[in-house]
């Protein structure tokens, strides 16, 4: 297992991988109709390994540092990146930078799952958390963060 420490490298690696996972995944258009009042399970907590187990995957560790741990996971719903953070502030800073790359995020306390919309939405059933969407400006004309133009 390779240990990496630079936070910016970890943010970039997950953001790029998350973008790659969402850029060409599935042909579904962004589903509207999700309501903030929809019932969502209480967000799971625990180590990366515990969260991966709850999500039904065996984590392939990519970064194991003091501030962030991240792994690539795959379950019956698809492939995603799972990251855990030592602090709430570290998570908030990471999310702020990562969302500039677009994509879909399932966010819990001190953890984030990144992947195609369908995959992270399905993870919400087992992990809880809040679905969030990255910046649309990184996907101009794309179908993942907008519904397209209508005439």
């Amino acid at each position: 297992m390779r240990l990496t420490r630079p936070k910016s490298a970890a943010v970039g690696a997950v953001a790029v991988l998350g973008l790659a996972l969402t850029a060409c995944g599935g042909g579904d258009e962004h589903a509207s109709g999700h309501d903030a009042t929809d019932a969502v399970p209480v967000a799971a907590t625990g180590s990366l390994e515990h969260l991966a187990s709850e999500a039904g995957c065996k984590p392939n560790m990519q970064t194991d540092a003091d501030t962030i741990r991240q792994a690539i996971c795959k379950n019956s719903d698809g492939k995603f990146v799972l990251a855990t953070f030592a602090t709430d502030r570290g998570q908030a800073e990471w999310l702020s930078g990562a969302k500039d790359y677009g994509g879909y995020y399932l966010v819990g306390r001190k953890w984030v799952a990144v992947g195609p919309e369908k995959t992270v939405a399905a993870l919400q059933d087992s992990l809880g958390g809040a679905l969030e969407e990255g910046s649309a400006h990184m996907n101009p004309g794309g179908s993942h963060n907008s519904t397209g133009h209508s005439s």
Side-chain angles (χ1 to χ4, degrees):
M1 181 179 326
R2 183 176 172 180
L3 299 180
T4 57
R5 297 226 180 249
K7 186 164 110 178
S8 60
V11 169
V14 169
V16 169
L17 181 57
L19 182 58
L21 288 173
T22 60
C24 295
D28 296 339
E29 290 290 323
H30 174 65
S32 59
H34 271 278
D35 188 339
T37 61
D38 288 348
V40 174
V42 173
T45 58
S47 69
L48 187 139
E49 291 80 5
H50 174 76
L51 294 168
S53 175
E54 292 287 320
C57 76
K58 182 178 179 192
N60 178 0
M61 292 301 291
Q62 302 296 303
T63 303
D64 193 0
D66 294 337
T67 57
I68 182 175
R69 298 182 75 219
Q70 70 183 36
I72 297 173
C73 285
K74 184 176 181 182
N75 64 15
S76 61
D77 296 309
K79 194 172 187 181
F80 58 97
V81 174
L82 185 60
T84 58
F85 303 88
T87 66
D88 292 325
R89 181 178 177 178
Q91 177 186 17
E93 289 173 355
W94 182 91
L95 272 170
S96 177
K99 283 186 171 181
D100 287 343
Y101 293 91
Y104 296 93
Y105 303 80
L106 183 62
V107 181
R109 176 115 196 277
K110 295 185 183 176
W111 62 264
V112 175
V114 184
E117 181 181 21
K118 180 180 173 185
T119 303
V120 294
L123 285 172
Q124 194 174 35
D125 291 338
S126 57
L127 297 179
L131 283 171
E132 298 183 15
E133 186 174 356
S135 174
H137 79 273
M138 289 303 290
N139 292 324
S143 64
H144 293 287
N145 285 24
S146 67
T147 56
H149 293 58
S150 57
S151 355

